[in-house]
Amino acid sequence: MNKYLLIALCSLWSVGLFAQNTSDSIVSSSNETELVNTPKKYTFGDFFDALDLPTVLGVGFTPNGIEGPTFNSAMRLGWRHHKNYGTFVYITYDTHSNKYDSLHIQSTNIINGEVWYNEVGISVGYRFPLVKDIKAFYQNPYFHPWDLFVSVQPGVSIATVKNVTPETLNSSTTEPSYTMSNYDHVTPTLRLSAGVEWFIFSNFSIFAEAAYTQHLMPTIIEQAAIKQQQIKHPSGPITVSIGLSLFFN
């Protein structure tokens, strides 16, 4: 009798150990699954790696014909959700100059000269991967060297002209002397651009870009041209540029 009782107790003990081990295995498996499925935390390093520093040089002209051709340069600080596709954001500083002729600029006493434009804006856009099967790409993204991008950029344009001011005559001169002072005028703008980018290396690319900037209000040059009935409404420059993008990673 004691022999059968001992066998029964050993059997119950073995079943208990098996159940405990099975339960521990299920909990461990559940913890591993939870660990695998936990999304990666976005860190400052990820944000830093998504930054790039494009440098841009280009040429342009104003369609209304009141200003001459221009050379433009720009510095940008950008953030990309993905390096070669998806959304991106740029903070842009652009500068270019134009010559004007036979325009009496408001609050100045000169009609010919050069005006400098300093433009600041925030650009938001999207990059489309140039791949054979775009649907398959989005299901399983991979690095590719070509992309097409479009963007829109609200901002401001600060036009600076030189104002010639005669100084007071003194006893030692018979002709007045002159001083030059800056005259600034701020205009809101909206810039539309599109281009294509090629990655030479994973952290370095070149791109070509075409853009049009619409002045939402007349600049100081356009105000003079409208007053003299040379144009009817403001426009802005069309530019074609090339650029280099350097990434931190």
Side-chain angles (χ1 to χ4, degrees):
M1 183 72 179
N2 292 337
K3 179 180 178 181
Y4 291 114
L5 180 61
L6 181 61
I7 293 173
L9 290 175
C10 289
S11 299
L12 290 174
W13 182 62
S14 299
V15 170
L17 285 177
F18 177 78
Q20 182 178 358
N21 290 335
T22 301
S23 176
D24 292 342
S25 177
I26 292 173
V27 171
S28 176
S29 177
S30 175
N31 288 339
E32 289 178 0
T33 302
E34 182 180 356
L35 185 62
V36 170
N37 294 334
T38 302
K40 179 183 176 182
K41 186 177 180 181
Y42 193 81
T43 65
F44 177 77
D46 296 325
F47 174 79
F48 190 78
D49 290 342
L51 298 179
D52 70 307
L53 295 170
T55 303
V56 183
L57 295 174
V59 295
F61 70 97
T62 304
N64 57 28
I66 62 173
E67 297 172 275
T70 182
F71 292 93
N72 67 291
S73 62
M75 291 292 295
R76 300 172 183 172
L77 174 62
W79 174 88
R80 305 188 184 193
H81 187 205
H82 302 287
K83 184 173 289 186
N84 51 3
Y85 73 97
T87 56
F88 63 87
V89 179
Y90 282 129
I91 299 174
T92 301
Y93 171 71
D94 186 293
T95 180
H96 62 278
S97 65
N98 296 78
K99 291 184 177 180
Y100 61 92
D101 186 22
S102 301
L103 289 173
H104 186 269
I105 308 302
Q106 175 187 348
S107 301
T108 71
N109 52 3
I110 53 178
I111 60 173
N112 304 322
E114 189 172 14
V115 56
W116 281 88
Y117 293 95
N118 293 282
E119 298 177 350
V120 181
I122 298 178
S123 178
V124 179
Y126 193 89
R127 279 184 160 78
F128 299 91
L130 294 179
V131 294
K132 292 182 178 180
D133 191 340
I134 193 168
K135 183 178 179 181
F137 172 85
Y138 278 109
Q139 290 176 347
N140 187 24
Y142 56 89
F143 183 81
H144 59 91
W146 292 92
D147 63 74
L148 178 70
F149 62 88
V150 293
S151 68
V152 57
Q153 177 184 297
V156 295
S157 178
I158 306 171
T160 303
V161 297
K162 294 292 186 178
N163 184 18
V164 181
T165 305
E167 293 182 334
T168 305
L169 290 172
N170 55 54
S171 58
S172 62
T173 61
T174 58
E175 295 291 336
S177 58
Y178 295 88
T179 61
M180 299 287 289
S181 60
N182 291 340
Y183 183 84
D184 296 331
H185 182 263
V186 181
T187 301
T189 61
L190 186 65
R191 185 175 185 270
L192 305 175
S193 63
V196 62
E197 181 180 42
W198 174 41
F199 277 86
I200 301 176
F201 307 106
S202 62
N203 62 348
F204 180 76
S205 70
I206 62 175
F207 60 90
E209 176 185 281
Y212 170 68
T213 301
Q214 174 64 51
H215 298 149
L216 301 181
M217 295 176 61
T219 65
I220 188 170
I221 301 296
E222 291 168 331
Q223 287 178 5
I226 291 173
K227 187 175 180 180
Q228 295 175 207
Q229 298 183 346
Q230 294 189 24
I231 62 172
K232 294 182 178 180
H233 51 76
S235 57
I238 295 175
T239 57
V240 178
S241 309
I242 58 173
L244 307 174
S245 284
L246 179 64
F247 297 82
F248 293 99
N249 185 20

